[in-house]
Amino acid sequence: MESRTGTISSLLAMREQGNDTFTPFSGEPEVHIWTQTLPIREDQLQTATTMESDAMTVDEHERMARISTTSRLQAHCWMISRVFLRRVLAQYMQLQARDIRFEYGTSGKPYLVGGPQFSLSHTNGLCVLAIASSNNAIGIDVEWVRPLIREQAIIQRFLTEEERDYVLEAMCSGEDSSFLLWNILTGKEAWIKASGQSLCGQWRNLNTAQAINHHEHLLKWAGQKYVLQSLKMGKGYSASLCVTGSQIPLIHWMNMDKNMQSDEGICN
């Protein structure tokens, strides 16, 4: 994966400068996507521990301690993701990061009262945060692409017939089945998140093929419309974004390399 700018360091700099240059949204339907690298080995934790964690609450410190009893690496990744989430959201709400107060839906999905709609996802080495300009629900999912041990079983268990045909046809053509499969799986997970987790258990009924294969972003389920998009997150990663409604939002990459344009992260 190509190097990303230091998100948390940039946010701290904006806070020190009085945040005068930070303009949340342009007024058009859009989604801001922020990325934060995560350590992938324990020998990287010494660097990770230098990051200030004063933004976390007592409960969050306790949760980190519980996670560390199983894995120090997972605990630090969780801490970095949480501080990253708080510091980014603080810019939009004009609050101190520690003052952000999360509420939780029946499915456990966090949200902000009076704040923007957001969705967070993390995988091996990377954390991604999507923030919507509208009040439409949003879901994002990112996965590190790797071979699946039981690929055929996953295809049969979680994919619709149209999705299975799409993957199998691509496999016969010599394409990378792992990437195609992860693209479908991240699309389903982003869709589930955007629905507020109400679609959990519906993996085999959620058909993303029309969005992935036919370039038709608009999906429908139980009377609700969704826009599903694949995102370019760099080599080795698959990611999808889903927003409720029927209008395709403009994507703005908030901390990618300077040569990346605002719409280059969209895959049709």
Side-chain angles (χ1 to χ4, degrees):
M1 176 186 172
E2 297 179 357
S3 173
R4 302 289 190 257
T5 57
T7 302
I8 294 177
S9 298
S10 299
L11 292 171
L12 289 172
M14 280 193 282
R15 176 64 68 187
E16 292 172 356
Q17 295 168 6
N19 199 32
D20 293 335
T21 60
F22 184 77
T23 303
F25 296 110
S26 65
E28 297 296 325
E30 59 187 285
V31 172
H32 288 179
I33 297 181
W34 300 76
T35 61
Q36 171 69 48
T37 56
L38 299 174
I40 59 175
R41 303 185 310 272
E42 288 209 2
D43 61 6
Q44 297 174 326
L45 296 187
Q46 185 174 358
T47 301
T49 56
T50 63
M51 188 185 73
E52 295 184 36
S53 60
D54 60 342
M56 295 200 307
T57 64
V58 173
D59 288 344
E60 289 169 339
H61 278 286
E62 291 176 349
R63 180 173 177 181
M64 180 182 170
R66 290 194 298 272
I67 297 172
S68 66
T69 61
T70 303
S71 169
R72 289 181 62 241
L73 179 60
Q74 289 183 12
H76 279 82
C77 286
W78 185 86
M79 179 267 289
I80 293 171
S81 298
R82 197 66 170 189
V83 174
F84 163 64
L85 173 64
R86 283 185 167 277
R87 293 208 185 278
V88 173
L89 290 175
Q91 303 305 309
Y92 292 83
M93 299 190 70
Q94 293 294 286
L95 296 172
Q96 295 293 326
R98 188 180 176 86
D99 294 333
I100 297 291
R101 292 290 178 263
F102 295 107
E103 300 291 338
Y104 296 87
T106 55
S107 62
K109 182 180 179 180
Y111 66 93
L112 296 170
V113 176
Q117 293 283 341
F118 70 91
S119 181
L120 181 76
S121 180
H122 54 82
T123 187
N124 185 50
L126 181 65
C127 179
V128 182
L129 172 63
I131 301 180
S133 65
S134 67
N135 198 38
N136 291 5
I138 189 171
I140 195 167
D141 188 56
V142 61
E143 294 291 345
W144 172 48
V145 177
R146 69 274 189 192
L148 292 165
I149 297 176
R150 301 183 62 191
E151 185 174 285
Q152 289 299 324
I154 290 173
I155 290 173
Q156 293 300 320
R157 181 176 180 182
F158 295 109
L159 271 58
T160 65
E161 183 177 355
E162 189 175 354
E163 290 170 336
R164 290 196 299 269
D165 290 343
Y166 172 55
V167 172
L168 294 175
E169 181 180 342
M171 290 172 63
C172 292
S173 301
E175 296 186 45
D176 184 356
S177 60
S178 292
F179 182 82
L180 293 173
L181 183 53
W182 280 115
N183 196 21
I184 290 173
L185 295 177
T186 59
K188 287 178 182 284
E189 183 64 23
W191 195 353
I192 289 170
K193 287 183 177 182
S195 76
Q197 307 290 331
S198 62
L199 300 182
C200 280
Q202 298 292 332
W203 281 77
R204 199 168 180 176
N205 298 319
L206 296 176
N207 184 26
T208 66
Q210 63 190 74
I212 295 173
N213 191 22
H214 304 303
H215 313 319
E216 298 175 6
H217 298 287
L218 189 61
L219 303 173
K220 295 182 181 179
W221 181 270
Q224 175 65 60
K225 295 180 179 179
Y226 299 87
V227 173
L228 180 65
Q229 298 169 271
S230 294
L231 304 173
K232 294 178 182 177
M233 296 306 305
K235 186 177 180 180
Y237 292 94
S238 175
S240 295
L241 173 73
C242 188
V243 182
T244 57
S246 58
Q247 187 169 359
I248 299 176
L250 179 64
I251 305 296
H252 283 296
W253 298 88
M254 301 302 290
N255 59 331
M256 301 294 263
D257 292 335
K258 292 182 180 179
N259 61 341
M260 295 289 286
Q261 299 299 316
S262 64
D263 60 350
E264 285 189 352
I266 303 174
C267 300
N268 288 327

